[in-house]
Amino acid sequence: MVKSKKIVCRCEDVTEEDILHAIEEGFSDLESLKRYTGISTGPCQGKSCMLHVIRILSMATRKDVNEIGITTQRPPVNPVPLYILAGEKDES
Amino acid sequence: MKADVVVIGGGVIGLSTAYYLAKSGVEKIIVAEKKYLGSGASGRCAGGIREQFSSKPSIRLAKKSLDMYERLSDELNFNILFRQGGYLFLAFDEESMEELERDVKLQNSLNVDSVLLEPEEVKEIVPELNIDGLLGGSFNMRDGIAFPFPVVWGFARKCRKMGVEIRDFSEVSDILVRDGTVRGVKLGNEIIGADFVVNAAGGWSSQVYHMAGLEPYNKPVKHEILATEPMKPFLEPMVIDLTAGLYFNQSMRGEIIGGIGIPESPSYQMGSSLEFLEAFASRVTKLMPKLKGVKVLRQWAGLYDMTPDSLPILGETEIEGFIQANGFSGHGFMLAPIVGKLIAKLIATGESDPLLEPFKYDRFKEMDVEPEHMVVG
C-alpha cells in the first residue's frame, strides 16, 4: 500500500504535514522552522531538503522565496570523522 | 504607544524575565528581538546547567536556578528535554586539581553535593574515558543539560498566552533617557514609552548600554561549538577537561555537542574555524578514543558576553528604570530561570533580592571583586 505521507527531510524523518503544522504553531521564519522541526540538521545538512522546505514555507505564508532567505550553511560541507580532523592516519 | 516594561533581547534571559513579569501582574510588556527568538547565545549554547562554580554568589544563584529547571517543563507546560546526568570535571594538571579541591569545599559549604573523585572513580562513571595522566575529578550528579530552544519557545509561548507582546525581527535603535530616568525606546520607526527598559541583549548588551549613555564593562567574545552525527545514548554526564578547556556531552538527540576554548579577541565576529575543529578533535579523541570514527556534522559559534570578573551584571544602574540582565560570561542559559524571576521581582515590587546584590553594575567602581574561575569552552 502506498502511503500518502510526504517525507521532506529524509535524515530527520520530517513530513510536509509536520512542517505545515510547525508553521501554524508560529514557527514561520525559516531559522525557527529549521530548529523546531529538525529539518536540515541531519547528515545531509539540508542539501536534499532545504529547497523543498523553502517552497512549502513560501506557499504557506505567501512570502516570496527571496524574502524567506536561506539558513547559514555550516561547515564542514560533508561529515568528517574526528580522527581525520585530529590529524591521524588510520581509525583505530 | 506606552509600555510598563520593554525587554531588549528575545533570548532565554529576556523571555524568562518577561514571563515572570507577566506572572507577577505587570500588564504591558514588550519583548524586542532583532532576529528570531533564541538567535543569540541562547540558541547556540550547549545547554549545560550546573551548580559547580568557584564563587559564592555564582553557586547560590546557580543552585536556585537548577531547582527551577527541575520543574520548568511543568511550569511552562513544554518539554525542555531536561536530563540530570551530572557534570564531571577532570583535572590533568596540579593547578586544575587544586581548583577543583577548593571549589568542591566551597560548594559543599553551600549545600551543593559535589564530590572529589580519584581517577578510578572517574572511570566508573564514564568507562569510555582514557584516564592516563588524570589526577582526579569532581562530580555533581544534580547538574544536567536541557535542549536550549524548547526553553526559549516554552517561555515565549507562555508569555504570549499571558499577553506579552513579542516582536521578533525588530531592532531597538535607541533608548530615551531624560533627567536620569528611562522614558522609552525607539523600536524601528516607532517610539515606545516605558517605565523600565531591561538590557537582556547578551553579546550585544554593550551596544544597549551605549544607547542609554552608560559605559559598558561587557565585551563580546566568540566561542565555537560543534555537533556530531547521533549515536545510541551512552554518555550520561557533561564531561569537562579543565586542563584543556574542553567540554562535551551527548544531547537527547544522541549527538555529541562540544567545544574547546581558543583565545579570541573581543569582536562580533562569529565565523567558524578549522583551527577549532582540529583543537577539539585532537583533544577529544585522546580523552575518549571511542569517538575517533564519529563524524562532525556541523560547527557554529556564539558570543560569550564577558565581564571583567566573569560574573553577570544584574539589577539597577544610575539611570532610573534601566535594568541590567547581561554579562553572563557563558552562563546565561543555566541562570535564566532564577535571573528572570529576580529581575521581575525587582521591577514589580522595587525589592532587590539579596542574591542580586553581588552582581551590581557599579561594583567595578566600588569594590574589589573575586572573579569566577569556572568559565569553560
Side-chain angles (χ1 to χ4, degrees):
Chain A
M1 191 181 112
V2 180
K3 290 187 180 162
S4 60
K5 212 154 89 169
K6 287 188 228 168
I7 307 279
V8 179
C9 169
R10 294 182 204 175
C11 302
E12 296 296 312
D13 202 15
V14 182
T15 64
E16 183 177 42
E17 199 184 344
D18 294 332
I19 293 169
L20 290 170
H21 178 71
I23 296 168
E24 271 170 36
E25 286 280 301
F27 298 90
S28 54
D29 67 273
L30 188 61
E31 299 280 1
S32 300
L33 185 63
K34 164 187 163 179
R35 287 161 180 89
Y36 187 71
T37 60
I39 56 110
S40 97
T41 63
C44 95
Q45 288 290 292
K47 288 194 245 355
S48 52
C49 64
M50 187 51 88
L51 294 178
H52 295 296
V53 175
I54 291 171
R55 177 179 54 78
I56 294 164
L57 183 56
S58 168
M59 286 168 74
T61 59
R62 300 205 172 95
K63 275 188 189 165
D64 189 80
V65 290
N66 292 311
E67 198 186 330
I68 287 167
I70 194 154
T71 59
T72 311
Q73 180 70 46
R74 311 287 191 195
V77 173
N78 291 312
V80 182
L82 285 164
Y83 77 91
I84 289 180
L85 295 165
E88 290 179 28
K89 288 199 172 68
D90 291 302
E91 188 183 342
S92 61
Chain B
M1 189 176 180
K2 171 80 170 61
D4 293 315
V5 185
V6 171
V7 178
I8 304 176
V12 70
I13 297 291
L15 291 165
S16 166
T17 302
Y19 168 65
Y20 288 104
L21 277 169
K23 210 179 162 182
S24 53
V26 175
E27 283 182 359
K28 185 69 190 160
I29 305 158
I30 297 176
V31 178
E33 164 55 49
K34 68 174 177 176
K35 289 172 77 185
Y36 58 95
L37 298 182
S39 53
S42 301
R44 293 165 184 272
C45 73
I49 298 155
R50 66 174 148 104
E51 297 175 300
Q52 292 187 78
F53 279 93
S54 76
S55 65
K56 274 188 195 174
S58 296
I59 298 168
R60 290 203 176 107
L61 207 56
K63 188 174 169 59
K64 292 271 187 190
S65 206
L66 187 49
D67 290 345
M68 291 173 75
Y69 262 113
E70 286 181 332
R71 299 185 305 269
L72 198 60
S73 288
D74 285 341
E75 171 91 29
L76 302 176
N77 193 22
F78 204 91
N79 187 357
I80 62 163
L81 302 176
F82 178 59
R83 146 176 106 72
Q84 285 168 296
Y87 256 62
L88 178 63
F89 280 87
L90 307 174
F92 288 89
D93 67 308
E94 288 291 345
E95 200 188 323
S96 299
M97 195 62 226
E98 283 160 18
E99 170 87 50
L100 292 181
E101 284 164 0
R102 258 196 322 272
D103 295 350
V104 166
K105 207 170 152 189
L106 182 66
Q107 289 154 11
N108 292 168
S109 78
L110 297 169
N111 297 318
V112 171
D113 297 325
S114 51
V115 289
L116 285 170
L117 301 175
E118 296 294 330
E120 296 72 31
E121 295 172 307
V122 166
K123 189 95 177 161
E124 275 170 32
I125 295 175
V126 183
E128 295 84 359
L129 284 175
N130 169 13
I131 57 167
D132 287 354
L134 181 68
L135 301 182
S138 73
F139 185 65
N140 179 30
M141 62 191 293
R142 219 182 141 228
D143 294 344
I145 56 168
F147 189 34
F149 274 104
V151 178
V152 169
W153 299 325
F155 273 123
R157 201 173 66 153
K158 269 279 188 184
C159 277
R160 287 191 177 110
K161 278 193 180 146
M162 295 168 84
V164 174
E165 191 181 331
I166 298 178
R167 298 207 195 170
D168 54 3
F169 299 96
S170 302
E171 189 166 1
V172 170
S173 59
D174 203 5
I175 296 175
L176 314 176
V177 178
R178 205 168 55 227
D179 305 329
T181 305
V182 151
R183 306 290 174 167
V185 300
K186 193 174 178 205
L187 180 60
N189 294 320
E190 206 179 335
I191 301 284
I192 298 175
D195 297 327
F196 293 92
V197 172
V198 180
N199 177 3
W204 294 266
S205 60
S206 55
Q207 296 178 355
V208 175
Y209 280 101
H210 278 302
M211 287 177 199
L214 278 191
E215 200 51 46
Y217 295 101
N218 312 41
K219 288 192 170 70
V221 179
K222 178 177 93 169
H223 283 256
E224 297 188 60
I225 182 167
L226 60 76
T228 70
E229 61 189 327
M231 279 169 288
K232 197 169 138 184
F234 74 96
L235 181 62
E236 279 282 318
M238 171 83 84
V239 178
I240 295 190
D241 173 351
L242 204 51
T243 302
L246 170 137
Y247 69 89
F248 66 98
N249 72 59
Q250 188 171 24
S251 75
M252 293 282 265
R253 292 174 56 170
E255 310 155 311
I256 297 290
I257 308 285
I260 190 166
I262 292 179
E264 294 280 352
S265 310
S267 83
Y268 291 103
Q269 200 269 113
M270 280 196 276
S272 296
S273 76
L274 182 60
E275 182 196 2
F276 163 76
L277 279 186
E278 290 174 345
F280 180 83
S282 300
R283 184 60 202 150
V284 84
T285 52
K286 282 194 182 68
L287 196 55
M288 192 179 276
K290 176 188 164 145
L291 296 179
K292 280 185 181 179
V294 177
K295 289 172 182 149
V296 175
L297 286 193
R298 66 185 170 280
Q299 63 177 134
W300 66 98
L303 299 175
Y304 279 24
D305 179 23
M306 295 302 297
T307 63
D309 56 8
S310 304
L311 292 169
I313 299 173
L314 307 174
E316 297 169 295
T317 59
E318 59 238 47
I319 296 176
E320 204 178 316
F322 185 41
I323 308 292
Q324 306 310 315
N326 50 65
F328 288 94
S329 305
H331 308 132
F333 177 74
M334 57 182 84
L335 298 175
I338 188 66
V339 167
K341 192 174 178 181
L342 297 181
I343 295 291
K345 183 172 132 188
L346 173 67
I347 293 172
T349 68
E351 191 191 329
S352 181
D353 192 280
L355 279 173
L356 293 180
E357 287 305 300
F359 302 107
K360 285 185 162 176
Y361 167 79
D362 55 14
R363 71 178 178 274
F364 302 108
K365 294 176 196 165
E366 307 186 324
M367 44 185 162
D368 286 331
V369 285
E370 177 66 25
E372 173 57 55
H373 303 291
M374 295 298 259
V375 180
V376 185

